[in-house]
Amino acid sequence: MGAAALLMLTGGVGMAHGTADGSDGTPGPDGAGHAGHAAHSPGKASAPGEGSGAAGEGSGTAGDASGAAGEAGMVGGASRSGGLWMRVDGVFSPPGSFVPSDALTYDTRLVPAAARIEVTQYADRTTTRVSTRLRGLVPDRAYGMHVHTSPCAADPASAGPHYQHRTSATADPVNEVWLDFRTDGNGDGTAEARHDWGFRDGGARSVIVHDVQGGAGKRVACFTVPFSA
């Protein structure tokens, strides 16, 4: 792709594309943490500006998600091994806010405005890894999170159902992407899920944060994510 970068700020989302070998200063997929199939674990948040680095087993990558509300970004590229990777971050705001955002909070008590989210995907011929990192939530609290089929909108139901590898099949971490996590004392949390299957083209479009862990729960926040097939 070369070292040139394209940056577009559209309210809550900006996009930048670069090489994945680190030649443009952008970390490649080797920075992603590894976990067992659909494993979840809270992680220690890095200080703003540290950039992307590997977290412990079961935790996602920690990118630079610092900045004012309304700033967000996406970085993506091709890995040296032929796989694809993408990282996108956003700042939560209520639907209808003056500055539009692809990260929406429907319950500011559980997901405050200006809380932050980062989602990373790495996919090759045999593996898909999705990791997430959140900051600024309620401390020491369990949350559920899943990949959903449609983009976010003012109505929480607009994100559609959970993405399923085998449609109309079992609702579990094997057939779906579950990213349940528990925040630490600062309200930060991470999770990662790993599968031996990939997304269908255009079939996975967002992540939903739920008020409880498991297969259901109230939808308290949503983040539109351009997952790759």
Side-chain angles (χ1 to χ4, degrees):
M1 278 191 176
L6 171 66
L7 179 63
M8 299 188 301
L9 287 181
T10 55
V13 170
M15 294 187 179
H17 297 275
T19 61
D21 60 2
S23 60
D24 63 348
T26 302
D30 294 340
H34 295 262
H37 196 85
H40 323 108
S41 71
K44 180 180 179 182
S46 62
E50 285 185 348
S52 179
E57 181 175 352
S59 61
T61 57
D64 180 3
S66 62
E71 294 180 356
M74 185 183 82
V75 180
S79 75
R80 289 178 295 244
S81 60
L84 297 174
W85 71 276
M86 172 275 300
R87 185 177 74 243
V88 59
D89 58 58
V91 181
F92 286 106
S93 63
S97 295
F98 178 74
V99 179
S101 176
D102 277 355
L104 300 176
T105 174
Y106 307 119
D107 187 338
T108 55
R109 297 169 302 171
L110 297 180
V111 181
R116 306 195 68 100
I117 183 171
E118 176 186 286
V119 175
T120 302
Q121 177 194 7
Y122 172 71
D124 59 21
R125 296 177 182 176
T126 60
T127 303
T128 296
R129 290 200 308 270
V130 177
S131 60
T132 186
R133 177 189 178 204
L134 298 98
R135 297 197 295 182
L137 305 186
V138 178
D140 302 312
R141 193 187 193 284
Y143 290 84
M145 179 183 283
H146 312 92
V147 172
H148 281 246
T149 61
S150 300
C152 309
D155 181 358
S158 297
H162 295 178
Y163 178 89
Q164 293 192 326
H165 175 54
R166 291 178 292 108
T167 58
S168 302
T170 55
D172 56 43
V174 176
N175 193 46
E176 300 177 347
V177 181
W178 290 24
L179 295 161
D180 293 352
F181 63 94
R182 186 175 189 88
T183 57
D184 62 17
N186 296 318
D188 304 339
T190 62
E192 182 176 283
R194 180 173 177 174
H195 295 276
D196 58 5
W197 44 261
F199 294 121
R200 294 179 292 277
D201 188 22
R205 301 292 302 280
S206 63
V207 292
I208 285 278
V209 181
H210 297 270
D211 63 339
V212 296
Q213 295 186 346
K218 178 184 175 183
R219 301 183 181 197
V220 297
C222 183
F223 183 36
T224 298
V225 179
F227 288 108
S228 299

